[in-house]
Amino acid sequence: MDIRTIARVANVSIATVSRTINHVPTVNPKIAKRVWEVIEELNYFPNTQARALVSGRSKIFGLIISEITNPFFPELIQGFEDVAIESGYEILVSSTNYDPKRMAQCIRRMLERKVEGVAVMTFGIEEPLLDQLAQRNIPLVFIDVGPPSPGVSLLKVDYQHGIRQGVQHLAALGHRKISFITGPLRLHSAQSRLAAFTKSLKECGITPHPEWIVEGDHTLEGGVAAAEKLLAFDESPTAIMCSNDMTAIGVLHHMYRANLRVPDDMSVMGFDNIHIAEVTTPPLTTIQMSRFELARAAVTALRAQVESASSLAPQREYKIATELVVRESTGFPKGTLPQVPKRPRKSKA
Amino acid sequence: MDIRTIARVANVSIATVSRTINHVPTVNPKIAKRVWEVIEELNYFPNTQARALVSGRSKIFGLIISEITNPFFPELIQGFEDVAIESGYEILVSSTNYDPKRMAQCIRRMLERKVEGVAVMTFGIEEPLLDQLAQRNIPLVFIDVGPPSPGVSLLKVDYQHGIRQGVQHLAALGHRKISFITGPLRLHSAQSRLAAFTKSLKECGITPHPEWIVEGDHTLEGGVAAAEKLLAFDESPTAIMCSNDMTAIGVLHHMYRANLRVPDDMSVMGFDNIHIAEVTTPPLTTIQMSRFELARAAVTALRAQVESASSLAPQREYKIATELVVRESTGFPKGTLPQVPKRPRKSKA
DNA sequence: CTGAAAGCGCTAACAT
DNA sequence: ATGTTAGCGCTTTCAG
């Protein structure tokens, strides 16, 4: 069952069938209709490999993420898949688990399958490995920052806006002793989030306390460990901001273990607004960064690069917004107010 | 840069290069060595599309899951990716979101990319759609149950073992009023879990109370809704078992909203043992089903089908174990005991 | 053991 | 507007 079969049955040449399938406008509509009918009837679809081989276009985009088990990424993948499929692209997803060996393997796979573009959503591990892709002129899209070569688009996340809102929210509640648990500091995005935090703190007239800035690793376990460290200091903060929600969930867990109540004894804030943040105990105040927006922008950037007539320079930067979402893990600092109701519980329905 | 370049530089024919790459044993070792050196030096790798086109082997396995945003699946994907890559296969993942339209699209994509086998990890939505794959003799692997055609392998999960352990754990604590929140009942796996529950209950001499068996949908939201329904009855259960962890997390959240303490006022048990179950408030007692085992078995089954000399019948069924993991969301039924310490908290470290 | 040559199913010149 | 034909990069007979 190939293009020849269709050609024979429809009584045309294979070239005409090919043109019909590819919507070349010069095909006689009557003939096109006949061809489509035969295609339907015989339930034919083109062989992607052959098509890719001859046209040099695989119609595959690669997506490199750091770890698929962090719920942030599946939500991103979902969006990426939806948008890519919609545009006729297949996607090849691979997670590096922060391991350079895996990253290398990852890139090799992308190369072998001849991806037409790659979205590197690892938040900043800009290894020279990626040069292998850049050198072959494969369009790339990064978050925040990347090699400033042509063919590289950037998704600029406005960390400052959301984080400022977060810090102000905390400050408005009366917090002055605010801690920050960072991501892995070799990640550019982790640096950016921290910088935004420090800056926002200063804007509120608060001097950052170095001891209260502790490095995490964007995992549950890292959040637990960081929270533990924070509580061990002579003077503890009254609020903890986290570089991502997984860290915050780890912190929540450690507070539970330490018999401390959130937000009564400690306020906790996350970043990402993953789905599950809505149902933690207590529901997590966090900063929303839209996975869908990120995914859509990535695909758009890649398509622009691939499909541009190579002459007209496509837009190279895309802005991604962030926004505070207040839930119940943040409150007044301890001892500040007369007893407030512990948890403003009411059933949703 | 293609096979011809290598042939020219190594001073052999392209056929010899091809044989070398494919480890055909008849190649003169000296020559093979020379060829490999050239390949290394020039950093060559074969064009997968061309290879697939001529050999008819895409070296791609498809993986169909229900929803990537349920943390169970990313963990499964990770395992599947690891094992498949290790065996030289690429993977094509697609989620159906329980939507038949998406399922159709999914299958179409698999067909177009000429996957050599598909693992259907949707837990039971055996649509006639899948016939499209079966008809083309594409090896398939299902969880629990599937069309008994040749070329179909089954991963048999031993729900009974884990669920019996769970029920007995509850019964041992003194619970008699035990509720079960099912998954979508059109899913075979959901039926199996429910059946195992009912059976285990009877084994303990407890008659299932129909009102306390409520249908969920394996989502957070479904868990919340089901818990709400359960609390509305005149007589509430003292323990709730859930068909998966996401449901249980939803239940935990609703208990929080309803100002009920877990496990003091209500015991809650999950199923799956996703990573995050370890840090819920309180940490979730659940039944472990190994994602990695599932993934490994799926790839093994597919490979066996693909690589068997079509004559020797590969093993067709693979057993997957389940095992109770006791944490802190289960306890004595309310009022049963003198006051026990509310939460056995201590820091881990 | 190695090389020459025939395609895999399709697209894209080039003719008509 | 349609048909003819030459490959895309590789594997695999078939000769030697």
Side-chain angles (χ1 to χ4, degrees), chain A residues 160 164 168 198-206:
Chain A
Q160 186 64 56
R164 174 184 286 128
Q168 287 182 353
T198 314
K199 185 174 171 202
S200 303
L201 223 49
K202 287 178 184 154
E203 286 173 2
C204 294
I206 303 174

Side-chain angles (χ1 to χ4, degrees), chain A residues 181-182 214-229 246-248 250-251:
Chain A
I181 301 176
T182 72
V214 353
E215 183 171 358
D217 60 0
H218 280 173
T219 69
L220 237 32
E221 290 75 13
V224 173
E228 195 178 350
K229 195 184 292 184
M246 286 307 265
T247 303
V251 171

Side-chain angles (χ1 to χ4, degrees), chain B residues 245-257:
Chain B
D245 283 347
M246 287 305 267
T247 302
I249 293 175
V251 171
L252 250 26
H253 179 69
H254 187 72
M255 294 301 142
Y256 169 77
R257 284 274 171 251

Side-chain angles (χ1 to χ4, degrees), chain B residues 187-207:
Chain B
L187 295 195
H188 191 274
S189 79
Q191 297 276 8
S192 304
R193 292 173 200 198
L194 174 57
F197 169 74
T198 314
K199 184 173 171 202
S200 303
L201 222 51
K202 286 179 186 156
E203 285 173 0
C204 293
I206 303 173
T207 322

Side-chain angles (χ1 to χ4, degrees), chain A residues 219 223 242 244-253 268-271 284:
Chain A
T219 69
C242 303
N244 77 341
D245 283 348
M246 286 307 265
T247 303
I249 292 175
V251 171
L252 249 28
H253 179 67
V268 177
M269 190 182 299
F271 189 102
L284 192 65

